[in-house]
Structures are given as C-alpha cells and as structure tokens.
Amino acid sequence: MDSAEPDQTPFAAVSAQTSRISRLYQAYLDKSTPYTTYRWVGTAALLLIFLLRIVFSQGWYIGIYLLNLFLAFLQPKFDPSLTQDEGMEDGSANSPSLPVKQDEEFRPFIRRLPEFKFWHSATRAIAIGFCCTWSEIFNVPVFWPVLVVYWIILFTLTMRRQIQHMVKYRYVPFTFGKIRYNRS
C-alpha cells in the first residue's frame, strides 16, 4: 500500500503559520496607526502595570533602552552638526543650516526615530520586560542604588547635551510652542 505523501514538510507548515501570524500582527499595527492618543494611553497603562509588578516583586529594572529610544525620537534625522562637519572637510564653509531669516527655505523637522516606531519599540520593550519579571533567570542580584544613580546621571548628561544641541541649531522637536500661521 502506498501512503500519501504529505503536501508540506513540517518546516514549510511552520513557516506558513509564522508568515500568517506576522501578516495578522502587521494588519493590527496598520489599523492602530491613526489612533496616536489611544496607542500612547495603552503604552502608559502597560508601563504602569510593569512598574506595579516591579514594586510588588521588589525588583529594580531601569529603562536605559527606553532612554535611548527617547533620545533618538528627539534628534533630527539629518543632524546639522554632522552636515557642518562634512562641509568643513570638503573645504566649503557654506554648509546647510536651519533657516533664520524670513526669505530662507523652510526645512521641516524630520525625526531620526518616527513616532510610530518609537511607540512600537517602547511598547514591545515594556511587554518583554514585563514577561521577564516572571522568570527567576532574569532576576540578577545587583546593588540597586548604583543602577538608579547611573540612570539619573546618564539621563541628566544626555538630556543636557540634547537640549544644548537644540538651542545651538534652533530646532524644537515638538509641535507645541511653534508659530502657527493663518491660511490667507
């Protein structure tokens, strides 16, 4: 008796399921794109649950990765200081800068890390961190005050540098506080 050959190998079946799940995940991400406020409220709620889990499990987990994401969110995609450095290397002092006069060309602020990718990466990091709190393998004994002081110093120094960069090159990465012109 001849047995019927399977239509798919086990690897092909797993691969098909994985691609189906990833397409479904991407479809939900695409549907959530216009709902910025709701996405961030959900992330804040997840962060609150994560922080409560940390407090109740008496663990100390610090988000240096989230700080890195936040800094990438604040930085422009095309850094004016880098373009000036490139201009100096070429010998041309007329490197592009942000407009300072009325007749100069408007150049919009483009983030290095767009808002959606920032939200997605932060939410994913919080969810993974929350899952890791339930396993003892990730509970590494450390002297937590050193980590807290390290995070505060890192945050202070990097934010000071970033704010100085914003002041030097005259850009504001947020929409509030900017001049809005009437459509006339």
Side-chain angles (χ1 to χ4, degrees):
M1 284 198 207
D2 294 324
S3 63
E5 289 284 325
D7 291 348
Q8 292 182 343
T9 63
F11 178 74
V14 169
S15 178
Q17 286 296 335
T18 305
S19 68
R20 186 184 69 79
I21 290 171
S22 68
R23 280 194 311 269
L24 184 65
Y25 177 70
Q26 187 62 46
Y28 281 121
L29 281 179
D30 293 342
K31 287 179 185 177
S32 72
T33 302
Y35 303 107
T36 308
T37 305
Y38 296 119
R39 286 189 283 118
W40 282 106
V41 166
T43 300
L46 184 63
L47 182 62
L48 180 67
I49 292 169
F50 176 60
L51 293 175
L52 287 173
R53 170 70 184 141
I54 290 171
V55 168
F56 290 133
S57 68
Q58 297 178 351
W60 297 95
Y61 301 94
I62 299 178
I64 293 175
Y65 177 70
L66 294 176
L67 175 63
N68 186 26
L69 286 175
F70 183 64
L71 288 174
F73 177 70
L74 289 179
Q75 294 173 349
K77 185 173 186 177
F78 305 106
D79 193 357
S81 64
L82 295 178
T83 56
Q84 282 185 351
D85 291 342
E86 290 170 0
M88 293 295 201
E89 289 174 4
D90 297 340
S92 64
N94 298 337
S95 60
S97 64
L98 293 175
V100 278
K101 296 180 183 166
Q102 186 75 14
D103 58 345
E104 289 185 20
E105 178 185 358
F106 169 72
R107 293 178 20 177
F109 182 80
I110 301 170
R111 298 182 187 282
R112 180 174 292 172
L113 182 67
E115 181 271 334
F116 185 79
K117 288 184 178 181
F118 174 49
W119 167 81
H120 186 245
S121 298
T123 305
R124 191 172 43 194
I126 294 168
I128 291 170
F130 180 75
C131 292
C132 288
T133 61
W134 293 97
S135 175
E136 283 298 317
I137 243 175
F138 299 108
N139 191 9
V140 179
V142 293
F143 187 58
W144 67 268
V146 172
L147 289 178
V148 172
V149 169
Y150 172 71
W151 191 87
I152 291 171
I153 290 172
L154 186 66
F155 179 79
T156 306
L157 292 176
T158 53
M159 287 308 294
R160 190 187 83 207
R161 189 190 75 211
Q162 186 62 37
I163 291 171
Q164 286 174 344
H165 192 268
M166 287 185 221
V167 169
K168 181 178 180 182
Y169 294 103
R170 295 186 290 287
Y171 67 89
V172 179
F174 303 107
T175 55
F176 59 85
K178 291 186 178 180
I179 299 172
R180 294 191 184 263
Y181 297 100
N182 294 333
R183 295 180 188 208
S184 53

